[in-house]
Amino acid sequence: MNNQDLHRQVRQQDEEVNEETPLLHAAPSTEPYSVFTVNQKRLIILTAALASSFSPLSANIYYPALNSIAKDLRVSLSQINLTITTYMGLAPMMTVSLADQAGRRPAYILCFVIYTFGNIALALQHSFPALLALRAVQSCGSSGTVALASAVAADIITSAERGMYIGFTSLGNILAPSIGPILGGVLSKYLGWQAIFWFLATAAGAFFLPLLLFFPETCRGIVGNGSTPAVGWNRAIWSYLQTTSVVSPTPPSSIVPRKRVNFPNPCSTLSLFSHRPVGLVLLANGVVFSSYYAVTAGIPALFHKIYDLDDLGIGLCFIPAGLGSLLSATTNGVLVDWNYRRTRISAGQTVHKNQKQDIIGFPIEQARLQIGLPMTILAAVSIVIYGVLIPLEPPLLVALAVVFVICFCITAAYNVMNILIVDLYYETPATAMAANNLVRCFLGAGAAAMVNPLIRRIVQTFPWNPGYQLQVRYAGGQWINPGMELDIPETSVIPELSSMNLRCNQKYITVFIDLDAILPGTRIQSVILHWYQPNLMIDCTKPKTPSILVPGDDHGDNHHSAASYIAPRAPPNTHHRYVYLLFAQPPGYKFPECFSHVFPETVSARAGFDVRGFIQAAGLNPPIAMNYFIGRHEPTEGETTTMPHGATTTSFRSVDCPTTSAGLVA
């Protein structure tokens, strides 16, 4: 169904406007599209944008406190994550259906009353079931405000100005994910996680009071272009208090007939997915914005691992994302409005900024997508660049610059799609934006939930990328590729070790083991430790590529020296796997006493080395780099050529160690 088909359908229905069919044609009129002044429009749009920020703020301010809440309520992190899912409810479809029938003010009043009391209850509750239920209540109050913001903009702004103003309405939705984690981290750390909900309740109350007093009704089905006086709860309290004002009689032509308010019907929102072209636009917009969630949701884990940032540092890394979105909303809006005027003029039509203009026969999709499509392509390219750079562990400023570009392009593309949706459904924009919000939330939630497991799976499947490969080179040889075969005599001396993106002033630990050793005179397979070396560092005063790791001033820790290097000694006719692991050495590291038996250069001391137990006892995180080679021992003249017996069992030395840290070892 294209725009012309929709136009004919509207005429066949006696020009009756409903929530399922967009009104794309109207009789020419010289009346202004809105009677509000420019300054009044700006204040109305600013109010709607601030109101819409409470929904994403409530979601993102909550994330830093998840661990604390799980601990206090004595539940697992998997259970506490369910409270995130309940937040993404279907309430907006009910809210916007009410807003299109009863008006914007009643919808806002209902939203903020529910939201404020929901936050107060969340701050007072002390059980997981209550948290789960009340997060859903909180969502019912706040989630509808995002769609209402675009609806308010459509009420008072024509297509010629929609680029700038609708861009501003999305600012709250874009900036809140950048500000929320910082606020949540500070409040949770210094005042406790309950302070997050007290803060949200206080902020909502402080915002709701002036909204109740001054915010005018804008729904065109209630007040038309604003010239029809609002009555009842559609009327701002301030207008009731102006008893000395003289109200001019309303022209009969501007009176909007009152319609009976039916029970909110979410089906009107769901039906939009079957319409063309808006159904495709909704899907495209959801995919674009889910990529934003995928990038930002991966930042905490990636930046903590790569740049060793704490919670506050990670929160500050979201500032470039917010700045990119802010700059995009302002500059891209000007560009979108300019292209609309250019397309109108090219079609031989006059642009009227404050009058509704017919879009039948006008290529509105072309006018919008000429800006939106290039921005979408740029967003995709920048995300690919980000995906290539991050495994290489670039400088932090480089990574943040790419995040800035990603957020700039995604925000631009997202806003253009929003404008096009409102253009196509400007008579029921709240319903259209609720459908948009539904797709965005579900796809965004899926992207945010999948990004970290997907990163872990990719690293496990393709672990030998340059950022995680430990480079090993024996004297006179080449840098070892994973799985390369080496003759045992080539490995008689300590090799050179290196890896990309090693940091100055950071100490490292290397462990070198044989996975396929068989204890002499037995058929028992065991792991033998060939080398343990702490306090490895790179010399930052001598730039060199690659940076070679060398022992620092203290070759061992405060209690033990290194376990000296023992060259591989695989028996003839065998191929053993020899593995190098590189760990970041924690500050104040101490060698675990329970492994002190490994220092003598004997088989009995080094055999049965439990790598997993050592990592846990030493309090190490998973290795940051690794490599391995196949040690090949071909018999020489005079050596036995008998094939050794295969192992029947595997054995590790039993040690009794207290676990100091939970470093995960796959």
Side-chain angles (χ1 to χ4, degrees):
M1 182 182 294
N2 54 31
N3 291 350
Q4 286 76 11
D5 295 333
L6 291 173
H7 174 47
R8 287 193 294 269
Q9 181 179 343
V10 171
R11 284 187 170 179
Q12 292 171 1
Q13 294 179 354
D14 298 326
E15 299 183 353
E16 178 183 355
V17 179
N18 57 55
E19 296 179 13
E20 297 182 357
T21 305
L23 183 61
L24 298 179
H25 181 275
S29 173
T30 58
E31 289 186 358
Y33 187 77
S34 175
V35 298
F36 295 107
T37 65
V38 173
N39 287 334
Q40 287 175 331
K41 289 180 182 179
R42 290 173 178 172
L43 286 174
I44 291 171
I45 294 297
L46 176 62
T47 303
L50 291 176
S52 70
S53 68
F54 281 93
S55 177
L57 180 64
S58 301
N60 290 274
I61 199 174
Y62 181 68
Y63 292 147
L66 290 179
N67 292 331
S68 299
I69 297 175
K71 181 179 179 181
D72 287 354
L73 299 184
R74 295 182 175 86
V75 295
S76 67
L77 285 175
S78 298
Q79 288 176 293
I80 211 68
N81 283 341
L82 293 176
T83 63
I84 300 175
T85 306
T86 59
Y87 186 83
M88 298 180 178
L90 302 178
M93 294 192 296
M94 305 290 288
T95 303
V96 299
S97 180
L98 173 67
D100 280 338
Q101 296 183 74
R104 314 304 185 210
R105 273 184 59 85
Y108 272 125
I109 292 171
L110 183 63
C111 284
F112 275 95
V113 168
I114 294 175
Y115 179 73
T116 303
F117 282 101
N119 279 303
I120 293 173
L122 280 166
L124 296 174
Q125 59 79 32
H126 296 286
S127 69
F128 175 70
L131 177 68
L132 195 65
L134 291 172
R135 280 284 285 176
V137 173
Q138 184 194 44
S139 171
C140 291
S142 65
S143 54
T145 58
V146 177
L148 286 175
S150 296
V152 168
D155 290 336
I156 61 176
I157 304 299
T158 64
S159 296
E161 300 177 296
R162 217 161 264 165
M164 174 65 74
Y165 285 100
I166 288 190
F168 284 130
T169 63
S170 67
L171 279 181
N173 195 33
I174 296 295
L175 293 179
S178 302
I179 300 172
I182 301 175
L183 286 175
V186 172
L187 290 171
S188 178
K189 180 177 181 179
Y190 295 105
L191 299 176
W193 59 266
Q194 293 89 348
I196 291 176
F197 300 113
W198 285 120
F199 170 81
L200 291 175
T202 304
F207 177 83
F208 178 54
L209 183 59
L211 181 143
L212 191 64
L213 289 173
F214 303 108
F215 191 76
E217 180 59 64
T218 63
C219 181
R220 302 186 70 82
I222 304 296
V223 296
N225 63 358
S227 59
T228 301
V231 296
W233 61 344
N234 295 104
R235 186 178 179 184
I237 294 178
W238 179 253
S239 66
Y240 281 109
L241 301 179
Q242 292 179 306
T243 55
T244 59
S245 300
V246 178
V247 180
S248 58
T250 303
S253 61
S254 65
I255 297 177
V256 178
R258 300 288 294 183
K259 295 185 293 185
R260 184 171 62 90
V261 177
N262 299 316
F263 185 79
N265 179 18
C267 294
S268 60
T269 299
L270 297 176
S271 66
L272 298 186
F273 297 114
S274 62
H275 289 177
R276 290 187 303 169
V278 75
L280 296 176
V281 176
L282 290 172
L283 179 61
N285 208 20
V287 171
V288 167
F289 207 77
S290 66
S291 62
Y292 172 87
Y293 280 119
V295 171
T296 55
I299 285 177
L302 288 173
F303 282 30
H304 172 71
K305 180 178 181 180
I306 297 173
Y307 305 109
D308 196 26
L309 300 176
D310 58 14
D311 290 344
L312 182 58
I314 291 172
L316 294 176
C317 287
F318 284 89
I319 293 178
L323 292 177
S325 301
L326 178 63
L327 182 63
S328 176
T330 53
T331 58
N332 187 66
V334 174
L335 188 61
V336 169
D337 288 341
W338 167 82
N339 194 62
Y340 176 87
R341 294 192 299 270
R342 184 188 66 83
T343 307
R344 278 280 183 189
I345 294 172
S346 299
Q349 301 177 11
T350 305
V351 179
H352 301 285
K353 286 190 175 182
N354 199 29
Q355 289 184 6
K356 181 168 61 178
Q357 293 184 276
D358 188 6
I359 65 172
I360 295 297
F362 174 72
I364 187 65
E365 294 90 348
Q366 175 184 333
R368 302 309 189 193
L369 294 181
Q370 282 178 340
I371 305 299
L373 187 58
M375 288 297 176
T376 303
I377 295 174
L378 287 175
V381 171
S382 59
I383 291 173
V384 171
I385 293 174
Y386 179 80
V388 172
L389 281 179
I390 286 300
L392 302 179
E393 301 185 2
L396 179 59
L397 289 179
V398 174
L400 294 179
V402 178
V403 170
F404 173 89
V405 174
I406 289 174
C407 292
F408 178 92
C409 297
I410 288 180
T411 302
Y414 175 72
N415 284 339
V416 171
M417 299 290 188
N418 286 348
I419 295 166
L420 180 57
I421 292 170
V422 173
D423 286 333
L424 298 176
Y425 279 81
Y426 66 84
E427 286 292 338
T428 55
T431 300
M433 293 309 296
N436 180 55
N437 198 49
L438 182 66
V439 176
R440 177 182 64 86
C441 284
F442 275 102
L443 292 182
M450 291 174 58
V451 61
N452 285 320
L454 185 59
I455 290 173
R456 288 195 296 269
R457 178 58 61 88
I458 291 174
V459 171
Q460 292 172 1
T461 306
F462 306 101
W464 304 113
N465 60 70
Y468 298 97
Q469 179 177 325
L470 178 62
Q471 300 178 37
V472 182
R473 179 172 62 184
Y474 282 95
Q478 60 179 319
W479 292 106
I480 294 174
N481 291 320
M484 179 184 292
E485 290 192 358
L486 294 180
D487 289 327
I488 289 298
E490 298 177 20
T491 63
S492 59
V493 296
I494 296 177
E496 291 181 317
L497 300 180
S498 179
S499 186
M500 296 185 65
N501 303 307
L502 298 178
R503 304 189 192 104
C504 297
N505 303 320
Q506 168 69 56
K507 294 183 179 180
Y508 299 91
I509 296 172
T510 190
V511 173
F512 177 39
I513 55 177
D514 178 0
L515 297 181
D516 301 311
I518 297 179
L519 299 181
T522 72
R523 302 184 69 178
I524 300 175
Q525 182 174 337
S526 185
V527 174
I528 290 183
L529 175 67
H530 280 266
W531 187 29
Y532 157 77
Q533 177 66 64
N535 298 305
L536 291 171
M537 301 181 67
I538 59 173
D539 188 355
C540 295
T541 63
K542 299 178 181 179
K544 184 179 180 181
T545 303
S547 300
I548 304 300
L549 284 163
V550 295
D553 294 335
D554 183 6
H555 290 199
D557 55 41
N558 296 330
H559 300 276
H560 294 285
S561 61
S564 57
Y565 181 84
I566 298 178
R569 301 171 183 173
N573 296 310
T574 60
H575 294 72
H576 285 201
R577 294 169 296 168
Y578 292 93
V579 179
Y580 279 94
L581 302 175
L582 185 69
F583 302 88
Q585 182 170 314
Y589 167 75
K590 294 182 180 180
F591 186 88
E593 293 289 342
C594 53
F595 277 85
S596 59
H597 59 270
V598 302
F599 291 98
E601 297 182 28
T602 62
V603 173
S604 60
R606 301 289 184 92
F609 183 71
D610 185 355
V611 181
R612 182 188 297 270
F614 174 76
I615 293 174
Q616 293 177 341
L620 301 177
N621 286 320
I624 61 173
M626 60 186 70
N627 205 338
Y628 80 102
F629 65 89
I630 306 298
R632 180 181 58 224
H633 189 170
E634 300 297 340
T636 60
E637 185 177 353
E639 285 187 310
T640 178
T641 58
T642 304
M643 293 291 293
H645 295 291
T648 56
T649 60
T650 301
S651 174
F652 294 98
R653 180 189 292 265
S654 177
V655 292
D656 185 14
C657 293
T659 300
T660 60
S661 178
L664 296 178
V665 183

